[in-house]
Amino acid sequence: MAESFGTELVEQLQRNIGDAFLAVSGEDLDWGALVVQMLGQLLVSVIYLGVFFGFYLVVTGAIRLVLGKQRAKTPLFLQVRSTLRYLAGLGALVFILAQFGTSPEVLKAMARAGFMALGFYVAWLVLARLIKDSMVRYKMDPSIRQLVENLFSVVVSALAVVTVLAQFGFDVVSIVAGLGIVGIAVGFAAQSTLSNFIAGITLLIERPFRIGDWVTINGQDGKVVKIALRTTWLRTRDNIFAMIPNDSVASSDIINYSAEGVTRLNIPVGIAYKESAKAARDVLMPVLLTHPEVLQGAGMEPRVLLKSLGDSSVNLEAKVWITPDNLDVQPRIMADVLEQMKEALDAAGIEIPFPHLQLFIDDAKGLKPVLEPFYSKRGANG
């Protein structure tokens, strides 16, 4: 039937063109009748357009009056209006084509195809709404919802195209088989893209991170702003966007700082060996307890611990907790806390060691510079 449909269209076009040439080249051409015929067809077409457009305006106006101004702005009314506009356009197209000698078989096929497409559109609206409400009810990840909605739209669109083509007698099985062969060829030519696509689906299912999490991927720190099917988008603290292929993301180590909520910061600070670690802790704890962005509560109290005994300093470490929202400004918080700790130690007279270069004079060998880890108070001569 597809071949007969195409042949009929071609023959109809040839007849129309031939009649036009014969009419123009004829010796006894009746220009008045030709103009009247053309104007008549155009007038009928305009009348049909006006009738269907008027039908659309009357129905939408009646619905707007029944619903009121507020309800007329809802998505449901907009969808109904789009459906009525589509029906009016389809009806006008069929009636106008009938005026130009289109065969009844073609008109019936167009009408069936149009109503089939409308049915798929309505089914897509209803099912998409149900799927979306179900995923929201079960609190599914936004990335998973986006993937499911996109796949559902693709499947419904493919079925709609196949059904519409079948109304015109096309061999759908052959078309699907041809598309399958083309898909295999494209798959071999785009292996990297397909691997990223599959890796993206794996990331959306396993969910090692979500949108809004702070992560480290391939040595790149950033906040996840988008998980696409081919790439993962990160935004660094310098407001720089990094797009990492999902294949690389799935095969690399992933560090997620937001997975467990609050995050602990470890801030090192050193004091001289002659100083007391307890005295330094007593000076530093008020700084941590009064900082506005340091959390306090059960299991999250700030602490100052003796980390290690270094070569030339007693190494302490301040441990504080911050909320996930403050991960955006984590470096600023660490720098602020460290600065306040340094000022508190200076005010208490607790020495923070730093290296000096000392010169030792040997009478036999002369002057010899030696770098040793000697530390003294700031301002003393070494």
Side-chain angles (χ1 to χ4, degrees):
M1 183 176 177
E3 296 180 357
S4 61
F5 173 73
T7 304
E8 184 177 351
L9 285 180
V10 173
E11 292 178 352
Q12 182 69 36
L13 180 61
Q14 290 176 349
R15 286 196 299 269
N16 293 339
I17 296 175
D19 294 341
F21 275 110
L22 289 175
V24 173
S25 60
E27 297 180 356
D28 54 348
L29 176 63
D30 189 355
W31 287 98
L34 181 61
V35 171
V36 170
Q37 182 181 3
M38 294 178 60
L39 290 177
Q41 290 180 338
L42 290 176
L43 179 61
V44 172
S45 301
V46 172
I47 293 175
Y48 278 127
L49 285 175
V51 170
F52 282 99
F53 183 67
F55 167 78
Y56 163 74
L57 291 179
V58 170
V59 175
T60 53
I63 295 176
R64 188 180 288 108
L65 289 176
V66 173
L67 296 178
K69 294 184 178 180
Q70 296 298 328
R71 293 183 179 180
K73 298 179 181 180
T74 60
L76 179 59
F77 174 76
L78 297 178
Q79 293 167 359
V80 172
R81 188 177 64 180
S82 300
T83 302
L84 292 174
R85 187 185 298 132
Y86 172 82
L87 289 174
L90 177 63
L93 178 62
V94 172
F95 276 87
I96 291 174
L97 289 177
Q99 299 304 310
F100 290 91
T102 306
S103 65
E105 291 76 11
V106 175
L107 295 177
K108 291 179 181 179
M110 291 183 61
R112 287 197 303 267
F115 282 109
M116 288 289 182
L118 178 61
F120 274 101
Y121 174 71
V122 174
W124 175 76
L125 289 177
V126 175
L127 295 178
R129 183 66 181 180
L130 293 176
I131 293 174
K132 183 177 181 180
D133 292 343
S134 300
M135 290 188 295
V136 171
R137 186 182 305 112
Y138 290 102
K139 299 180 180 180
M140 296 185 66
D141 188 82
S143 302
I144 298 293
R145 296 205 300 264
Q146 181 182 6
L147 174 63
V148 173
E149 291 174 0
N150 292 339
L151 290 178
F152 176 72
S153 299
V154 170
V155 171
V156 173
S157 300
L159 291 176
V161 171
V162 170
T163 304
V164 169
L165 291 178
Q167 303 307 312
F168 294 98
F170 288 94
D171 190 355
V172 178
V173 177
S174 300
I175 295 176
V176 173
L179 291 177
I181 296 174
V182 173
I184 294 174
V186 173
F188 280 109
Q191 295 183 18
S192 176
T193 302
L194 288 177
S195 63
N196 289 324
F197 177 80
I198 296 174
I201 295 177
T202 303
L203 292 174
L204 291 174
I205 294 175
E206 293 183 352
R207 292 188 295 179
F209 50 79
R210 302 184 180 185
I211 295 176
D213 289 355
W214 277 94
V215 297
T216 297
I217 302 174
N218 281 338
Q220 177 68 61
D221 293 340
K223 185 177 184 178
V224 181
V225 295
K226 184 178 181 180
I227 306 175
L229 293 178
R230 194 181 66 85
T231 57
T232 296
W233 294 27
L234 302 182
R235 178 178 61 81
T236 67
R237 292 186 174 88
D238 298 328
N239 202 31
I240 298 174
F241 283 85
M243 297 175 59
I244 306 176
N246 287 331
D247 190 17
S248 300
V249 175
S251 60
S252 64
D253 295 335
I254 300 174
I255 301 176
N256 192 333
Y257 301 101
S258 306
E260 297 298 328
V262 296
T263 302
R264 188 173 68 183
L265 307 181
N266 302 315
I267 308 174
V269 61
I271 61 175
Y273 265 95
K274 67 183 184 65
E275 305 292 350
S276 169
K278 182 178 182 303
R281 183 183 297 108
D282 293 338
V283 171
L284 296 177
M285 282 302 298
V287 174
L288 304 181
L289 292 173
T290 56
H291 196 280
E293 293 168 317
V294 173
L295 295 178
Q296 300 180 33
M300 292 184 294
E301 298 85 357
R303 293 183 293 174
V304 177
L305 303 178
L306 179 60
K307 183 67 175 180
S308 64
L309 300 176
D311 294 337
S312 305
S313 64
V314 177
N315 299 322
L316 305 177
E317 190 173 67
K319 297 180 178 294
V320 298
W321 296 86
I322 62 174
T323 62
D325 296 336
N326 281 332
L327 284 174
D328 292 9
V329 291
Q330 172 187 338
R332 181 188 63 77
I333 295 176
M334 294 185 66
D336 187 37
V337 172
L338 185 60
E339 180 180 354
Q340 293 186 23
M341 289 195 302
K342 190 262 182 188
E343 293 177 353
L345 291 175
D346 288 346
I350 297 178
E351 180 182 348
I352 300 176
F354 57 96
H356 284 264
L357 178 64
Q358 287 191 326
L359 299 178
F360 293 90
I361 299 177
D362 191 335
D363 295 335
K365 298 182 180 180
L367 190 64
K368 180 181 179 183
V370 179
L371 179 62
E372 290 190 357
F374 175 80
Y375 296 83
S376 65
K377 292 183 180 179
R378 206 159 294 150
N381 296 322

